[in-house]
Amino acid sequence: VLKQLLAAALTASLLTGPVSTSEGGKPAREAIGKTMEAYIAAFNAGDPAAVTALYDDSATVEDPAGSVPRKGKQAIKRFYETVCGRGSKLEPVSINPATDGSGAMLFQIRAKAATVNVIDVMTFNGASKITSMKAYSAISSAPQ
Amino acid sequence: VLKQLLAAALTASLLTGPVSTSEGGKPAREAIGKTMEAYIAAFNAGDPAAVTALYDDSATVEDPAGSVPRKGKQAIKRFYETVCGRGSKLEPVSINPATDGSGAMLFQIRAKAATVNVIDVMTFNGASKITSMKAYSAISSAPQ
């Protein structure tokens, strides 16, 4: 029984990670999760200023992954003015914050022509503002 | 019409990224995608050696994100011997390789007690071997 309990505890630890803390200026997992949820809500409200407000002043946005990152709030706001202007909506599938001030989430972008799975990987400062975002898109469209 | 075409091209570029190339020793998106698929297949076959063979000799595995990374093939193999031994299966949801030698994927871990959404973020060398893996788990279980 002890062995089973130990195995279960190990599994739980591997699956969910250690309990979140806010040590060393790192935001708690729950705080990161809230910023990610606020990001999707602001995007879907078509509000580039609200999305930009979730970023740190010197943040970078690399979208798509492999492109030259946009740096700073002005460039980031311009980016979201363009993207939000298209009327696409984000449907969250999984929001996965970590204990080290980073997080990843998968959402579907629903545009007129297609639905695409996108994974955003983000880092955060102690105030849970986004310091970097990198977007990984699926090569092919997801089934509609 | 030109404006519409331009907008469509921009959207396509933002959603899928530039066409993949193998410049500068970086693997093509398709090659990264194949390694990610092979990772899931080897894991589900319960074959820790096959999973480990997908890694670069000096690779790191940070699972869960925020934990101390395991370094090198020996430590990585030990990790997969433990994890694969539990009989959990990975169900891929989205495999999103990028053009810069990195990629992210979301899969569900189906264990006896629960199903959990996990996002793995990986980097790759020119031979499409994994040089680093970082695993982001959802805080709560996904609906079964």
Side-chain angles (χ1 to χ4, degrees):
Chain A
V1 174
L2 187 63
K3 261 193 187 168
Q4 284 176 345
L5 278 173
L6 223 103
L10 259 171
T11 307
S13 155
L14 274 160
L15 292 178
T16 64
V19 173
S20 67
T21 57
S22 198
E23 285 165 25
K26 277 171 196 158
R29 292 182 84 184
E30 291 74 12
I32 290 177
K34 279 187 185 170
T35 297
M36 287 176 142
E37 285 167 13
Y39 176 93
I40 288 172
F43 190 103
N44 288 345
D47 190 342
V51 179
T52 306
L54 297 169
Y55 278 93
D56 184 84
D57 284 346
S58 53
T60 56
V61 169
E62 186 180 336
D63 187 347
S67 63
V68 178
R70 293 159 184 86
K71 283 180 192 169
K73 285 218 167 181
Q74 210 173 352
I76 290 172
K77 195 176 174 209
R78 271 199 304 270
F79 172 67
Y80 286 105
E81 281 167 354
T82 306
V83 180
C84 291
R86 295 195 194 111
S88 306
K89 298 295 172 197
L90 311 185
E91 179 74 27
V93 175
S94 191
I95 294 183
N96 299 13
T99 56
D100 67 344
S102 68
M105 61 177 167
L106 183 137
F107 52 80
Q108 295 195 312
I109 293 189
R110 298 196 175 164
K112 282 170 202 159
T115 298
V116 179
N117 286 329
V118 176
I119 294 172
D120 275 5
V121 181
M122 294 172 163
T123 57
F124 300 83
N125 67 18
S128 306
K129 297 281 183 186
I130 307 162
T131 48
S132 73
M133 185 276 262
K134 185 168 177 173
Y136 292 90
S137 295
I139 288 181
S140 53
S141 298
Q144 298 254 26
Chain B
V1 173
L2 187 62
K3 261 191 187 170
Q4 284 176 345
L5 278 174
L6 224 103
L10 258 171
T11 306
S13 153
L14 273 162
L15 291 177
T16 64
V19 173
S20 66
T21 57
S22 197
E23 285 166 25
K26 277 171 197 157
R29 293 182 82 183
E30 291 75 11
I32 291 176
K34 279 185 183 169
T35 298
M36 289 175 142
E37 284 166 14
Y39 176 94
I40 288 171
F43 190 102
N44 288 344
D47 190 342
V51 179
T52 307
L54 297 170
Y55 278 93
D56 184 83
D57 284 346
S58 52
T60 57
V61 168
E62 185 180 336
D63 186 348
S67 62
V68 178
R70 292 158 185 87
K71 284 181 192 169
K73 284 216 168 184
Q74 211 174 351
I76 290 173
K77 195 176 172 209
R78 272 199 304 271
F79 172 68
Y80 286 104
E81 281 167 354
T82 306
V83 181
C84 291
R86 293 193 197 113
S88 307
K89 299 294 173 197
L90 312 184
E91 179 75 28
V93 175
S94 191
I95 294 182
N96 299 13
T99 57
D100 66 344
S102 68
M105 61 177 167
L106 184 136
F107 51 81
Q108 294 195 314
I109 293 189
R110 297 196 175 165
K112 282 170 201 159
T115 298
V116 179
N117 286 328
V118 177
I119 293 172
D120 275 5
V121 181
M122 295 173 163
T123 57
F124 300 83
N125 67 18
S128 307
K129 296 280 183 188
I130 307 162
T131 48
S132 72
M133 185 274 261
K134 185 168 178 172
Y136 292 90
S137 295
I139 289 182
S140 52
S141 299
Q144 300 253 26

